[in-house]
Amino acid sequence: MNTQKLTGLIAATYTPFHADGSLALSQIGPMVEYLLNSGVQGLYVCGSTGEGMSLTTAERKEVAAAYMNAADGRVPVLVQVGHNSLEDAKSLAAHAQEIGVAAISATCPSYFKIDSAATLATSMAQIAAAAPELPFYYYHIPSLTGSSIDIAQFMRMAGDSIPNLVGLKYTDTKLFEFQECQAIDGGRYDIVWGADEMLLGALASGAQAAIGSTYNVAAPLYANLIAAFEANDLPLARKLQLQSIEFIRIMGRFPFHSATKELLRALGHNLGTCRLPQRGLTQDETNALLDQLSTSAYFSPILAQTARAEV
């Protein structure tokens, strides 16, 4: 099992759909090329961004295989296999191992809430055991799962019951907790940051890798932020992080993932719209989104250049 820690920007990928709501797998190849050319160093498939919970188990396997084929070994592909049914999660994990992904990750069941770190560890152990040859990252995103478990407590106890547990996808805003998890067992675990608008704070707290939605549309901005931080140019790093905050706040005025898909469409990548219960944007909303982004520091020149290319 490869236990090398992740580094750099890992895009939480989108799942493309046709107008009728069916999978548009042919769009995955071009999207992967775009992401790799933008500087992304890994792909995280079928997570929240990829609407994994809105796909059938069979569809999730198709999407995972398509991203693996498109990546063609150039960057690590992680597949999110969490499911309200642990049996389906185990099936997804086994499939991920069969197709040779770099690692699997899983959210906890979210309909019936996990009530203790011990129950969470037992549940995740079942999923991880279905792919024993793969590194396993727990996906901590309490805003969507409703889990209020002490994540540091979970990480301390889970190593005994999950032999292939190597880390955590930490999608929360508690930098103190993120730092605490990094220190467990002398830095045993790979704790990957998951809140794009707080990347600078995570870097200051020791982050080496980050998984995020907005790396699909602004990876160069974040790469420059990381470079500025590593060069100890904190004024520039703060300026770049503020640009991230600015456009994320604009996109947050709309259904977020649908807004990102509309931005991708404007940039030349038609991945369709999101599935219900996430609604798509109206045309008026799309126009408003692009108008507002065109005034933002990062996207103003990009959208202007795109508009000129279309003329």
Side-chain angles (χ1 to χ4, degrees):
M1 184 179 69
N2 181 10
T3 58
Q4 184 175 354
K5 291 186 176 182
L6 300 169
T7 58
L9 301 173
I10 299 168
T13 60
Y14 281 92
T15 297
F17 298 111
H18 292 295
D20 65 0
S22 61
L23 295 177
L25 298 178
S26 64
Q27 297 299 314
I28 289 177
M31 187 64 189
V32 168
E33 296 308 311
Y34 159 72
L35 289 172
L36 299 191
N37 288 334
S38 73
V40 162
Q41 295 168 266
L43 306 172
Y44 187 85
V45 179
C46 288
S48 307
T49 304
E51 300 178 76
M53 299 309 183
S54 296
L55 305 179
T56 68
T57 297
E59 286 176 328
R60 289 171 70 169
K61 292 178 180 179
E62 289 185 76
V63 172
Y67 269 106
M68 271 296 293
N69 290 336
D72 195 26
R74 291 174 290 175
V75 293
V77 176
L78 293 78
V79 174
Q80 197 285 123
V81 300
H83 201 291
N84 273 325
S85 162
L86 290 179
E87 290 304 311
D88 275 335
K90 288 159 60 177
S91 176
L92 288 164
H95 174 263
Q97 181 169 286
E98 289 171 9
I99 64 175
V101 307
I104 57 171
S105 177
T107 58
C108 61
S110 57
Y111 185 85
F112 295 111
K113 299 295 185 283
I114 300 287
D115 63 357
S116 70
T119 300
L120 179 58
T122 301
S123 299
M124 294 302 102
Q126 290 192 17
I127 299 173
E133 298 172 12
L134 293 181
F136 177 80
Y137 288 80
Y138 176 60
Y139 180 6
H140 178 61
I141 183 165
S143 63
L144 291 181
T145 63
S147 171
S148 59
I149 299 305
D150 182 328
I151 192 61
Q153 180 187 13
F154 163 76
M155 294 300 294
R156 288 189 178 95
M157 70 166 48
D160 293 334
S161 57
I162 308 176
N164 51 337
L165 176 67
V166 300
L168 176 69
K169 179 183 184 295
Y170 186 89
T171 305
D172 203 354
T173 59
K174 301 171 184 173
L175 282 169
F176 68 89
E177 190 175 62
F178 174 73
Q179 187 172 353
E180 181 182 6
C181 289
Q182 287 186 306
I184 292 171
D185 287 353
R188 168 183 176 181
Y189 295 113
D190 187 15
I191 312 299
V192 183
W193 185 251
D196 307 4
E197 61 271 52
M198 295 180 65
L199 178 59
L200 180 56
L203 293 172
S205 299
Q208 298 297 312
I211 298 172
S213 303
T214 63
Y215 308 153
N216 286 277
V217 292
L221 169 64
Y222 294 102
N224 289 337
L225 188 163
I226 293 170
F229 174 79
E230 291 178 343
N232 203 32
D233 189 346
L234 295 183
L236 177 57
R238 287 193 290 265
K239 176 183 176 180
L240 295 172
Q241 184 69 84
L242 190 59
Q243 290 183 13
S244 160
I245 293 167
E246 179 187 27
F247 82 74
I248 289 174
R249 283 180 69 87
I250 291 171
M251 291 167 59
R253 297 167 188 163
F254 306 87
F256 187 86
H257 291 304
S258 295
T260 310
K261 279 193 166 184
E262 291 302 335
L263 176 55
L264 282 167
R265 192 194 309 271
L267 297 175
H269 309 282
N270 185 0
L271 304 186
T273 58
C274 291
R275 279 186 176 174
L276 290 172
Q278 297 187 89
R279 69 170 182 85
L281 271 60
T282 67
Q283 189 58 56
D284 285 346
E285 287 175 321
T286 298
N287 293 340
L289 168 70
L290 297 179
D291 285 346
Q292 292 175 40
L293 286 173
S294 69
T295 67
S296 67
Y298 182 73
F299 280 107
S300 177
I302 294 172
L303 291 174
Q305 181 179 8
T306 301
R308 287 194 296 271
E310 292 175 348
V311 173

